[in-house]
Structure formats: structure tokens, C-alpha cells
Amino acid sequence: MRNLIIFLRRYFNFFLFLLLEVICFIFVFRNNNFQRTVYLNSASSISGKLYTKYNSVQYYFHLQSTNDSLVKENLRLHNEAASSFDTRDTGSFVKFDTLRKYSNDTARKLLSTEMRKFLYREAKVINNSVNREINTITIRRGSKDGIRPNMGVIGPDGAVGVVRSVSENYAVVISLLYKSSGAANNSNFGFSAKLKSSGEIGTVYWDGASGGYGYMKDVPRSAKLHKGDTIITSGFSAVFPENIAVGYIDTFRLSDKSSTSYSIRMKFATNFYNLQYVYVIENLLRDEQTRLEDSTRNLLK
């Protein structure tokens, strides 16, 4: 009780002063329009800043759902792209999952029937290495999702790698950051690519140095090269569709004056240091193509 009395005595003047300040404050704002306006404007400004901060926090927590929505939309666009279909003669049979094109006039004449060749499935990256000679990516998709070895894998910006092994719920992808035990130019993971601007074909490989850069060899000397030109998949393999970005020309050179081809250093289109989602590509016609090619090789032996 004694302490309470001491406390009240000590702070009585302070509370009295505060009360008088509040009363003056009320009278000023009640009788002075200018002061009231200034206060309301200030309050609105403060409220606006608070709402902005609140919306920023909300946006941050909604980024995951927004990102997932974008992945789903990209998947839909990949599966509807013309490059995912093969044009067929309209007189032949129509296989399951086709895209038909009709004329724009009232007759609606069937112009062509395109059979699906590539099917895309999105997958979440759950593990990724970039600093080894053989780098792998683990994804949260497996055999029960239709994933099989030797399927091509791309990211939002370009080619990523090829599926190597699969379990029921997971798959391991060998990324483009793969250096063979031999010399860099003899890498056994090279794949066919071409210059987007002129179409010259070459082979892409990685030398094991930087996770951001790779090389393209066997590009003919006659090719017109420019820094920044795009390198894309050629479509010659059964793994990747045509026209998927692989990288962009950084530098290029001839090994010597008598050389007939360029060696190109390129910046990978995919940022392997920040890979969160990928798309696994199933070539629905792969088995038919490889069987025919293998049987032809056997006949020529």
C-alpha cells in the first residue's frame, strides 16, 4: 500500500500533464479544420504504409502457391505446343491423343491431323549437385508417375539432362554438367544441337570447369557466329524435342588455321544453381524409332 502511495505521488504531475495535453488536443481538432485535416492526412499516410507492408507479407507467403500455378500453366503450354505433335496424312488412321486443324471458313474442312509425340510431366527438384564431375538431380517423380530412364528433362529456361535411374516415387537425372573420365572433347554425354540463327549442327558437352558454361564442337567453319546467338536442340535424338534452348554463345575459336570447325564456349540457358522445377519429356514414339534404327544397323552389318 505504501509503495502504491509513493508511486501515485511520484507520477501524479505526469498523469495530470498528460490529461491536460489530451484535452487540449481534442479542443484544437474540434475547432480547427486545418489541424484536423493535417492529422487525418498523416493518419492516412501511416495507414497506407502499414497496409503496404501487410500486403508485402501476404505476397511473400503466397509466392509458393503462385509459383506452383505458373509451373502448372507452363506444363499445359508445353503439352499444347505444336512441337509436341507430329503432322499426319489425313487419310491415315487417327491415333489416341491427336490435334486436328480445321479451315477457318464455314466449311470447317479438316486440314491435318497431328499425333502427339511428346508428353510433359512437371517434377519438383529435391536434390541437386553442381560441383562434381558427374552431377545429378533428384526429382519427386517416379515409375508410378510414368517416368522411365532415358527421358529428356528440361527446365523453365532450357535443357537440363536425361533421366538415369527410377524408383517408384523418385528419379535421378544426369544433368548436362557431366564430364566423362576421358578428355573433354570425348565426353560420352554429348548430344546434338544447332545454331538457331543458321541451323548448323554441332555437339554439346561439358568440360567440368564451370557450372554455368559448356561447349559446342564440330560447328563448320562456314557458320556465321555472333556472341549471344542461341543454341537449341536439333531434334535429331529421340530424347529432346527440337528448338529447346541449350545455351548462348559466349566465345568461339578455331583450333588452328587449318581447322574446319569451331569450338564454341556457351553460357547454359539453365541456371543449375537455382533449379526448383523441371519437366520430364516422354517421347511416345521413341520405341518405334529406336527399334527401326537398330534393325537397320543390324541389316547393314
Side-chain angles (χ1 to χ4, degrees), residues 109-181:
K109 181 181 178 182
L110 180 64
L111 300 178
S112 65
T113 299
E114 298 179 351
M115 180 174 62
R116 176 176 292 282
K117 182 177 181 181
F118 296 105
L119 180 65
Y120 293 75
R121 296 179 177 89
E122 87 283 0
K124 181 75 172 69
V125 173
I126 61 172
N127 200 4
N128 181 22
S129 67
V130 294
N131 299 315
R132 304 170 185 170
E133 287 197 344
I134 299 177
N135 291 286
T136 60
I137 300 165
T138 305
I139 59 175
R140 184 66 173 85
R141 287 280 190 184
S143 58
K144 72 176 186 180
D145 303 302
I147 308 301
R148 300 200 309 266
N150 300 318
M151 287 184 175
V153 180
I154 66 171
D157 300 312
V160 168
V162 177
V163 175
R164 178 61 183 271
S165 54
V166 180
S167 67
E168 185 177 358
N169 296 295
Y170 301 95
V172 175
V173 177
I174 299 293
S175 81
L176 301 188
L177 307 183
Y178 176 102
K179 182 179 181 297
S180 69
S181 57

Side-chain angles (χ1 to χ4, degrees), residues 15 53 71 85 100 117 195 250:
F15 286 126
K53 293 290 184 183
V71 170
F85 294 83
R100 296 182 178 183
K117 182 177 181 181
L195 302 175
D250 181 49

Side-chain angles (χ1 to χ4, degrees), residues 15-31:
F15 286 126
L16 181 60
F17 175 78
L18 184 61
L19 178 61
L20 291 173
E21 284 285 328
V22 172
I23 293 172
C24 292
F25 186 79
I26 292 172
F27 276 107
V28 167
F29 277 80
R30 178 177 293 176
N31 301 303

Side-chain angles (χ1 to χ4, degrees), residues 67-76 122 141 279:
N67 191 42
D68 290 344
S69 297
L70 289 174
V71 170
K72 298 292 185 184
E73 177 64 11
N74 283 335
L75 176 67
R76 184 186 67 80
E122 87 283 0
R141 287 280 190 184
Y279 301 93

